[in-house]
Amino acid sequence: MTSIAVPEHPWLLPGELVVRAEPERARPRRTTRDWVVDSLAFLLGLVWVLFATADALSPDPQTAVPLPHDWMVGVDAVIGLVCCGLLWLRRRWPLGLAVATLPLNLFSMAAAIPLVIFYFTVVVHRRTAVAVAVTGVGLLTNLVFSWTRPDPAMPYWATVAWGVVITLGVLAWGMFVRARRQLIVSLRERAERAEAEQQLRVAQARHLERTRIAREMHDVLAHRISLLSLHAGALEFRPDAPADEVARAAGVIRGSAHAALQDLREVIGVLRAEDDGDAPEPPQPTLADLPALIAESRAAGVRVNVNDSVGSPEDVPAALGRAAYRIVQEGLTNARKHATGAAVTVDVTGGPGTGLTVAIGNRWPVGTQAGGTLPGAGTGLVGISERVTLAGGRLAYGRDDAGDFRLAAWLPWPA
């Protein structure tokens, strides 16, 4: 699971950005920056209320034509103070406060600054369509306000124009702030998505590597253990065998067991050191190691007929030779498991440009074998099929026209 990076100094960010970085929060909470901004907005609104009220009570007002009665000036001041208090709630209900206070734009001068801040909050926190709708209503109220409370020093249309300029300026500023925040959120989501994709790629690579190791383990250990079982079965059913044959079989069992343990130790070592990218891998078999594999099977008593027309096994690409080796190994292992005593034919033909063909065949077993068949995981042919597919080749297995079992693969060999 991707861990979302929490900003180093979240108190410098708006609460809306912090809550996206910390999703356990159900609602944006004021950060230190938000408290500072809200405090400044409250003080600015309060100073404007005091200034507008004092100007309205002065004999020569500068901001707007005074209201006809002094008690109306007091009411306007109270409205301005209430709007200043509502500034602390503007982050929670920006649109509701803006809509509820829109009628005040028709006459209130003391609430002008808080109303502008409400409008700016709507532009920042709500989508553009909502902001444009509120802007349209605000422009209409500006026409009425400029008529009911005209500026003593400017004509009506100049006052309207200044109102339009201020409104559009606040709209542009709010949209810029909103776009900047959306850009930050988009970049953060992109970084989180890139991190998640990287972790997914690492997990997939680890899974593929484990699958490859499991396939190698099956190919190697199944071959070794089938030799062990074959010789142990011979000793079990031939207790009167000559001493030299018993000693030779015991030696093969001991050697196969030692080789199986060594292979198992190497695989476990790779699994334990999977995080160490510099750990060397054990040497992988190639087509040049095929005679040794055939010799092991013959030493175990399996009759193997080989038809190898590849002139120089050293010239075969390493990956191609390794795949051919594993295919022959799996075919010999299956023959020992399921067709004990049957002769096995191994054909390796091909060359550069034409591809490499590997075929293993044996007689189909008749009746029940003595001692039963060796248990298997049932994944050997699946692993070989995956190996051949990854190499870009073709694989076919099953009974042929003569009734024998045949495992055949064609692998591409570049010219």
Side-chain angles (χ1 to χ4, degrees):
M1 181 178 295
T2 305
S3 59
I4 301 177
V6 179
E8 184 177 0
H9 302 293
W11 56 275
L12 292 175
L13 296 175
E16 184 183 14
L17 296 182
V18 175
V19 75
R20 293 177 182 269
E22 300 176 4
E24 65 274 5
R25 294 184 183 179
R27 173 182 300 174
R29 188 171 57 189
R30 281 190 180 93
T31 61
T32 303
R33 174 193 176 281
D34 291 339
W35 281 107
V36 172
V37 172
D38 289 349
S39 299
L40 291 177
F42 175 77
L43 291 177
L44 179 62
L46 185 61
V47 170
W48 175 257
V49 170
L50 297 178
F51 171 77
T53 303
D55 182 70
L57 295 175
S58 66
D60 185 19
Q62 302 295 322
T63 57
V65 172
L67 294 168
H69 303 285
D70 290 343
W71 65 269
M72 292 183 178
V73 176
V75 172
D76 191 20
V78 172
I79 292 175
L81 292 175
V82 172
C83 289
C84 288
L86 292 177
L87 287 174
W88 295 102
L89 304 177
R90 66 187 179 90
R91 297 182 185 274
R92 181 173 296 184
W93 301 297
L95 182 60
L97 289 176
V99 173
T101 56
L102 270 176
L104 301 179
N105 288 314
L106 298 173
F107 62 89
S108 178
M109 174 61 72
I113 296 299
L115 295 179
V116 170
I117 297 176
F118 289 151
Y119 170 60
F120 176 78
T121 306
V122 171
V123 177
V124 172
H125 294 277
R126 293 296 180 264
R127 65 182 188 272
T128 304
V130 176
V132 171
V134 175
T135 302
V137 178
L139 292 176
L140 294 178
T141 58
N142 175 55
L143 296 175
V144 178
F145 179 82
S146 299
W147 180 265
T148 58
R149 304 290 301 274
D151 191 316
M154 287 191 300
Y156 171 74
W157 291 110
T159 305
V160 171
W162 271 111
V164 172
V165 170
I166 293 174
T167 301
L168 296 181
V170 174
L171 176 65
W173 183 21
M175 293 181 66
F176 170 78
V177 173
R178 177 176 174 82
R180 183 175 179 274
R181 292 185 181 183
Q182 289 179 337
L183 176 61
I184 294 175
V185 172
S186 174
L187 293 176
R188 175 183 294 154
E189 292 177 349
R190 185 180 301 176
E192 293 169 359
R193 186 164 56 251
E195 181 182 356
E197 292 175 353
Q198 175 64 20
Q199 292 183 358
L200 180 60
R201 285 193 294 268
V202 171
Q204 290 176 343
R206 183 179 292 113
H207 175 71
L208 291 176
E209 182 64 15
R210 287 179 176 271
T211 303
R212 184 187 67 82
I213 293 173
R215 187 166 54 239
E216 294 289 335
M217 180 187 295
H218 173 272
D219 293 342
V220 174
L221 294 184
H223 172 70
R224 302 291 186 188
I225 294 175
S226 64
L227 292 177
L228 282 173
S229 179
L230 188 63
H231 282 80
L235 292 178
E236 180 183 1
F237 290 101
R238 288 288 307 279
D240 56 343
D244 56 341
E245 292 185 8
V246 174
R248 185 169 63 252
V252 174
I253 291 175
R254 180 184 60 80
S256 298
H258 178 76
L261 289 175
Q262 182 65 27
D263 294 335
L264 183 61
R265 186 182 299 111
E266 291 175 352
V267 172
I268 293 177
V270 172
L271 289 175
R272 288 177 176 174
E274 64 174 356
D275 295 331
D276 185 6
D278 298 331
E281 292 189 357
Q284 296 294 322
T286 63
L287 195 62
D289 298 315
L290 192 59
L293 178 66
I294 301 298
E296 283 185 356
S297 296
R298 287 173 174 170
V302 181
R303 292 175 295 167
V304 183
N305 300 318
V306 181
N307 177 23
D308 188 355
S309 63
V310 178
S312 300
E314 297 80 6
D315 297 336
V316 179
L320 180 62
R322 180 167 60 252
Y325 180 94
R326 294 304 187 194
I327 293 171
V328 175
Q329 187 180 53
E330 177 64 21
L332 294 175
T333 300
N334 287 337
R336 287 194 297 270
K337 284 183 179 180
H338 307 293
T340 304
V344 182
T345 302
V346 178
D347 295 319
V348 181
T349 58
T354 60
L356 184 66
T357 301
V358 181
I360 303 95
N362 58 266
R363 301 289 297 178
W364 191 265
V366 179
T368 303
Q369 303 179 38
T373 59
L374 297 176
T379 59
L381 292 177
V382 175
I384 292 299
S385 178
E386 293 179 357
R387 188 187 298 274
V388 172
T389 301
L390 290 176
R394 300 186 299 270
L395 179 70
Y397 55 87
R399 301 188 71 170
D400 58 12
D401 296 337
D404 299 336
F405 182 83
R406 180 180 174 82
L407 170 65
W410 177 86
L411 302 171
W413 187 347

